[in-house]
Amino acid sequence: MPHRTATPPARQAAARSDGQEARAQLLSAALALFAEHGFAKTSTRAIAQAAGVNLAAIRYYFGDKAGLYAACFAEPMGGNAGDLTSLYDAPELPVAEALRRFLTSYVEPLKQGEIVRQCMRLHLREMLEPTSQWAHEVERDIKGPHLVLVAILARHLGVRADDDLHRLAFAITGLALQLFVTHDMIDAIQPSLMRNAAAIDRWAERLVGYALALVDAERLRRTATAGKTRKKA
């Protein structure tokens, strides 16, 4: 058996570092190009050229163009909705704490600035020009957390999940989602609201209060409706 010379540790570390950098460059270039042109009109050659890496690197790190496209949804803003689910899906957790964890985690990516803008453009383009990725995103990052939030609200209010409870859950999620959708408008009207990490943390704090107000309003509405029903009976 031919003798193999071991790669020095320093060289191994350098190779790993170079590999991580090449992968990150590919992800960054792909995110910008997919957001601008969409999946179909963005070529792997253009991505590799923009990233300054060899075309074969896409296959090495992501498998293929579809794998790279999927990574653009899952990685740039950190984690996925499964992380949110694990944070607040606990029977003993008070609703205020559940909402605090949910909304704080939801708005955390806003601290990444331009990356968030590109991710939003990518999501909007995917909605307008859907690929197979859209169904996956709905199932993983939208439907799952929504159903968990509905379950938490049902437990807190002591009711079964119905259309009104789903409306409430969508309204609470919308409080956070609108910050991503209207990011540029907020910057134009009141830039201090999104200026730094502390400003984002303040948003999370306020959103929890707004969400609890919505929950209280729904509780009062249900109590009033139940009272009217009993009177009629």
Side-chain angles (χ1 to χ4, degrees):
M1 180 179 290
H3 175 71
R4 293 185 179 182
T5 304
T7 303
R11 190 177 301 172
Q12 290 178 348
R16 284 195 297 269
S17 177
D18 291 344
Q20 291 172 353
E21 183 177 355
R23 190 181 188 284
Q25 288 172 336
L26 275 171
L27 194 61
S28 177
L31 175 60
L33 289 172
F34 283 140
E36 181 69 23
H37 305 293
F39 179 79
K41 295 180 181 178
T42 300
S43 69
T44 52
R45 187 174 299 279
I47 294 171
Q49 185 175 5
V53 301
N54 191 287
L55 182 62
I58 293 178
R59 178 173 295 277
Y60 180 79
Y61 292 113
F62 300 98
D64 55 16
K65 179 181 172 182
L68 177 53
Y69 188 65
C72 286
F73 283 88
E75 296 186 29
M77 293 199 294
N80 57 50
D83 300 329
L84 289 176
T85 299
S86 66
L87 280 175
Y88 63 90
D89 186 19
E92 73 283 357
L93 207 60
V95 67
E97 178 62 14
L99 290 174
R100 185 190 68 79
R101 295 188 188 191
F102 169 51
L103 292 167
T104 297
S105 298
Y106 205 110
V107 304
E108 184 71 17
L110 286 167
K111 297 176 181 179
Q112 298 186 49
E114 181 57 29
I115 291 177
V116 174
R117 288 185 172 89
Q118 291 181 343
C119 287
M120 283 307 303
R121 286 195 287 269
L122 179 66
H123 279 77
L124 291 173
R125 181 169 288 280
E126 176 64 22
M127 291 174 67
L128 294 172
E129 303 170 6
T131 67
S132 59
Q133 186 66 29
W134 180 238
H136 180 68
E137 291 302 308
V138 170
E139 190 67 27
R140 185 192 66 184
D141 290 343
I142 300 175
K143 182 179 179 179
H146 173 80
L147 293 178
V148 172
L149 183 55
V150 167
I152 289 173
L153 295 171
R155 185 170 63 233
H156 172 69
L157 293 171
V159 299
R160 289 185 177 183
D162 56 17
D163 285 352
D164 281 316
L165 212 60
H166 280 277
R167 289 189 185 96
L168 177 59
F170 278 121
I172 290 173
T173 303
L175 291 172
L177 182 59
Q178 59 94 18
L179 297 181
F180 292 84
V181 177
T182 62
H183 197 313
D184 291 339
M185 298 180 203
I186 294 172
D187 280 346
I189 297 171
Q190 192 71 11
S192 61
L193 295 179
M194 307 283 269
R195 181 169 292 159
N196 50 36
I200 302 304
D201 289 338
R202 199 165 295 114
W203 264 114
E205 179 184 337
R206 297 293 187 271
L207 291 181
V208 173
Y210 304 154
L212 288 172
L214 288 173
V215 174
D216 285 342
E218 178 61 15
R219 176 180 56 79
L220 291 173
R221 186 195 68 78
R222 287 176 180 269
T223 299
T225 300
K228 290 179 180 177
T229 301
R230 284 194 297 270
K231 287 181 180 180
K232 290 181 179 179

